[in-house]
């Protein structure tokens, strides 16, 4: 049996503990938890302000760089593409603003953009390969010669090139070209605007930024083959994109890993900035001369741009 003294001691202990808590709460430990939270919040706020300041500075420097390049290099590409007709082909999800900027650079260099061709994502859907092959067989013309080792998408690119481009300047959109364009646009895999009157000699292919998560590089094999076909059916082709497109999961990364493609196609991985758009112009000039190069900021084998001699040439 527990005696009365035990209860007294227990009650006293409880009140002592409560009293100690009150004393400590009003004394040395008062506000400790809230002060820690406030201190961390102040640090986080300071870090956020620093990050915001860094971002503002980075944006300011980017704008300065782009404005500086645009002003200092004004006129550098003038006349480089005079007399050249160019078709712009956009891959699925290609950035429209970048495409517009590339077209502006081509026209500022004296080139004439005959049309813009948009490729639908369904074109590269594995389930549509049979349809693509059927279209090629149905629309092929007598003057198209396919390489015996060519695949479906290389032939498809060459077929489209017959409708919008030629290896020489001055080729009109003839009856055969009209039939090809009618066939491919009717399939809903390709669209173009405006309807061209003349076929171009040069092609710019605008690649898209890879999606997130980035796909395997091999997912662009068909797109690279298609670009090869466009090159084979024209006087030369340049594939332009953003830096991400030259990294894992991007079309330019896939293209640059294909030794056969890099022998005939040129690439520019900084086409989202003015200097890169100028590089597209120089790369087209180089293509017209029968040469190819890989240019830009990400694993670009041939450096930032074609050589100074190429830049001075016409």
């Amino acid at each position: 049996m527990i005696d009365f003294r035990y209860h007294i001691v227990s009650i006293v202990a409880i009140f002592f503990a409560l009293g100690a808590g009150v004393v400590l709460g009003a004394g040395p430990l008062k506000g400790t938890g809230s002060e820690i939270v406030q201190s961390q919040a102040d640090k986080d706020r300071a870090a956020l302000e620093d990050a915001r300041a860094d971002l503002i500075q980075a944006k300011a420097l980017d704008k300065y760089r782009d404005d500086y390049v645009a002003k200092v290099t004004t006129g550098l590409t003038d006349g480089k593409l005079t007399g050249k007709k160019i078709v712009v082909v956009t891959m699925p999800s290609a950035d429209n603003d970048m495409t517009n900027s590339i077209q502006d650079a081509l026209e500022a260099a004296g080139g004439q953009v005959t049309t813009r061709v948009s490729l639908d994502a369904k074109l590269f859907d594995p389930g549509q390969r049979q349809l693509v092959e059927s279209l090629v067989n149905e629309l092929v013309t007598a003057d198209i010669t396919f390489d015996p080792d060519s695949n479906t998408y290389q032939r498809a690119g060459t077929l489209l090139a017959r409708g919008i481009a030629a290896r020489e300047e001055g080729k009109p959109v003839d009856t055969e070209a009209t039939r090809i364009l009618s066939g491919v646009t009717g399939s809903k895999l390709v669209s173009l605007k405006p309807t061209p009157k003349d076929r171009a000699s040069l092609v710019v292919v605008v690649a898209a930024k890879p999606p997130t998560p980035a796909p395997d590089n091999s997912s662009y094999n068909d797109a690279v083959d298609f670009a090869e076909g466009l090159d084979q059916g024209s006087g030369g082709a340049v594939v332009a994109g953003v830096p991400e497109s030259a990294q894992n999961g991007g079309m330019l990364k896939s293209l640059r890993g294909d030794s056969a493609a890099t022998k005939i196609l040129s690439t520019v991985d900084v086409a989202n900035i003015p200097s890169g758009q100028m590089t597209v112009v120089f790369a087209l000039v180089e293509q017209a001369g029968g040469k190819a190069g890989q240019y830009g900021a990400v694993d670009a084998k041939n450096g930032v741009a074609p050589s100074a001699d190429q830049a001075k040439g016409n």
Side-chain angles (χ1 to χ4, degrees):
M1 182 176 180
I2 301 176
D3 59 19
F4 181 69
R5 286 178 298 174
Y6 179 84
H7 289 289
I8 293 297
V9 172
S10 298
I11 291 171
V12 170
I14 292 171
F15 277 102
F16 178 80
L18 289 173
V22 171
V23 172
L24 288 173
L29 296 182
K30 181 180 179 181
T32 300
S34 62
E35 288 174 359
I36 292 174
V37 172
Q38 184 61 49
S39 176
Q40 185 59 50
D42 291 341
K43 290 179 181 178
D44 291 344
R45 188 179 296 108
L48 182 60
E49 290 297 330
D50 289 343
R52 185 180 290 114
D54 290 343
L55 180 60
I56 292 172
Q57 183 179 29
K59 287 183 176 180
L61 289 174
D62 284 345
K63 185 178 185 305
Y64 168 80
R65 176 201 61 197
D66 292 344
D67 290 348
Y68 181 87
V69 169
K71 178 168 286 189
V72 171
T73 59
T74 295
L76 189 60
T77 62
D78 286 359
K80 295 297 180 183
L81 296 174
T82 298
K84 297 294 184 183
K85 291 183 172 62
I86 306 147
V87 61
V88 176
V89 178
T90 57
M91 286 289 168
S93 302
D95 184 81
N96 191 60
D97 289 339
M98 182 174 73
T99 303
N100 289 338
S101 296
I102 291 172
Q103 179 169 341
D104 290 344
L106 300 176
E107 292 173 344
Q112 177 189 345
V113 175
T114 58
T115 188
R116 277 172 49 167
V117 180
S118 299
L119 306 181
D120 193 275
K122 291 183 292 185
L123 176 64
F124 301 107
D125 184 335
Q128 300 294 328
R129 182 179 290 270
Q130 186 173 354
L131 172 60
V132 174
E133 185 68 40
S134 297
L135 276 172
V136 171
N137 293 333
E138 177 187 344
L139 299 173
V140 65
T141 61
D143 59 351
I144 295 179
T145 302
F146 294 128
D147 187 305
D149 297 325
S150 62
N151 60 41
T152 296
Y153 282 94
Q154 288 168 334
R155 293 193 293 271
T158 301
L159 177 75
L160 178 61
R162 175 62 180 83
I164 58 175
R167 292 194 175 104
E168 309 86 18
E169 288 290 343
K171 297 292 184 180
V173 174
D174 55 14
T175 303
E176 297 285 26
T178 300
R179 186 174 70 88
I180 290 171
L181 294 180
S182 178
V184 296
T185 55
S187 70
K188 306 299 183 183
L189 300 178
V190 175
S191 61
L192 72 161
K193 189 177 182 180
T195 301
K197 296 180 180 179
D198 299 307
R199 290 149 66 192
S201 64
L202 298 171
V203 179
V204 175
V205 178
V206 184
K209 180 179 178 180
T212 302
D216 184 88
N217 291 332
S218 63
S219 65
Y220 289 100
N221 287 350
D222 290 341
V224 172
D225 290 339
F226 193 90
E228 286 185 85
L230 289 171
D231 182 273
Q232 295 286 9
S234 67
V238 174
V239 183
V242 295
E244 292 90 338
S245 65
Q247 297 170 346
N248 287 333
M251 180 179 173
L252 267 62
K253 177 73 172 181
S254 178
L255 192 159
R256 290 173 174 177
D258 184 333
S259 59
T262 55
K263 288 179 181 177
I264 61 172
L265 289 166
S266 295
T267 59
V268 177
D269 63 36
V270 284
N272 55 321
I273 59 176
S275 56
Q277 291 144 21
M278 293 174 59
T279 302
V280 172
V281 171
F282 293 132
L284 275 179
V285 174
E286 190 177 49
Q287 278 281 324
K291 297 180 180 180
Q294 317 308 315
Y295 305 109
V298 183
D299 297 328
K301 179 181 178 182
N302 301 109
V304 296
S307 67
D309 289 340
Q310 176 64 68
K312 292 178 183 178
N314 193 14

